[in-house]
Amino acid sequence: MTYITSLSIEQADPTTAATLDAVKAQIGMIPNLFATLAKSPTALNSLLGLNQTIGAGSLSASEREIIALATSQANSCQYCVSAHSLLGKNAGLNPQQLIAARTAQPGTDRAAAIASFTKALVEQRGHVATETLDQLKASGLSEADLLEIIANVVATTFTNYTNNVARTTIDFPVVSMELNA
């Protein structure tokens, strides 16, 4: 059952309605997450600004989706796992890569290192073991990349917590939280 209901464009003040219209123009729809955040224009604009800044960073779209999937799985957010499975597919990730991002098994390649670090960051609340950091660097990621991953985790955690508290209705193809389903 939804706890925080979404706001329609018709219910929004003119400024927030214009922001929601811009979201719709950019992605073709207004996801329930954004309609829910519209109840607080500060929250909505914070997320949009952070996402815009992150999108201009050095990590690729597929790497950002790996981070979003690993974060969402660790935070048990089915809305975001579902949304980022679709976005990850659109960013070029195949079904095996989508699952690998969610399981976040340690590895030496860049994608595995990103997913593993992301999972550790979320689960250990930033107190990541030195060996995990060393794996990240050994995979070719820089200290700047590490900080950008943290920024992506913050943005995704914001959406995860919003959806988990609001109990937002999933408006994407639903993906099971079970990794063997």
Side-chain angles (χ1 to χ4, degrees), residues 18-39:
T19 301
L20 291 172
D21 278 334
V23 168
K24 185 175 183 179
Q26 183 177 5
I27 62 176
M29 66 177 285
I30 301 171
N32 286 335
L33 165 66
F34 294 108
T36 299
L37 284 170
K39 289 251 174 125

Side-chain angles (χ1 to χ4, degrees), residues 32-99:
N32 286 335
L33 165 66
F34 294 108
T36 299
L37 284 170
K39 289 251 174 125
S40 168
T42 299
L44 175 62
N45 290 322
S46 295
L47 180 63
L48 292 172
L50 185 54
N51 282 342
Q52 182 178 9
T53 301
I54 287 169
S58 64
L59 297 176
S60 70
S62 62
E63 290 170 333
R64 291 191 307 272
E65 293 307 324
I66 289 167
I67 296 163
L69 285 162
T71 302
S72 299
Q73 186 71 36
N75 282 326
S76 299
C77 182
Q78 188 174 24
Y79 183 99
C80 290
V81 166
S82 298
H84 289 287
S85 290
L86 178 62
L87 293 169
K89 180 181 175 185
N90 292 343
L93 297 175
N94 65 41
Q96 295 78 20
Q97 291 169 315
L98 294 172
I99 294 296

Side-chain angles (χ1 to χ4, degrees), residues 65-77 80-81 101-102 115 118-119 121-122 149 152-158 160:
E65 293 307 324
I66 289 167
I67 296 163
L69 285 162
T71 302
S72 299
Q73 186 71 36
N75 282 326
S76 299
C77 182
C80 290
V81 166
R102 292 176 58 202
T118 298
K119 179 181 178 184
L121 184 68
V122 173
I149 292 167
N152 276 271
V153 169
V154 167
T156 304
T157 299
F158 181 10
N160 295 164

Side-chain angles (χ1 to χ4, degrees), residues 81-146:
V81 166
S82 298
H84 289 287
S85 290
L86 178 62
L87 293 169
K89 180 181 175 185
N90 292 343
L93 297 175
N94 65 41
Q96 295 78 20
Q97 291 169 315
L98 294 172
I99 294 296
R102 292 176 58 202
T103 58
Q105 297 301 311
T108 56
D109 71 347
R110 187 173 166 102
I114 289 171
S116 178
F117 171 70
T118 298
K119 179 181 178 184
L121 184 68
V122 173
E123 290 180 347
Q124 297 164 16
R125 300 175 192 228
H127 299 278
V128 180
T130 302
E131 62 194 27
T132 303
L133 297 171
D134 290 343
Q135 286 176 339
L136 199 66
K137 282 188 175 181
S139 71
L141 289 150
S142 68
E143 291 173 354
D145 293 329
L146 182 144

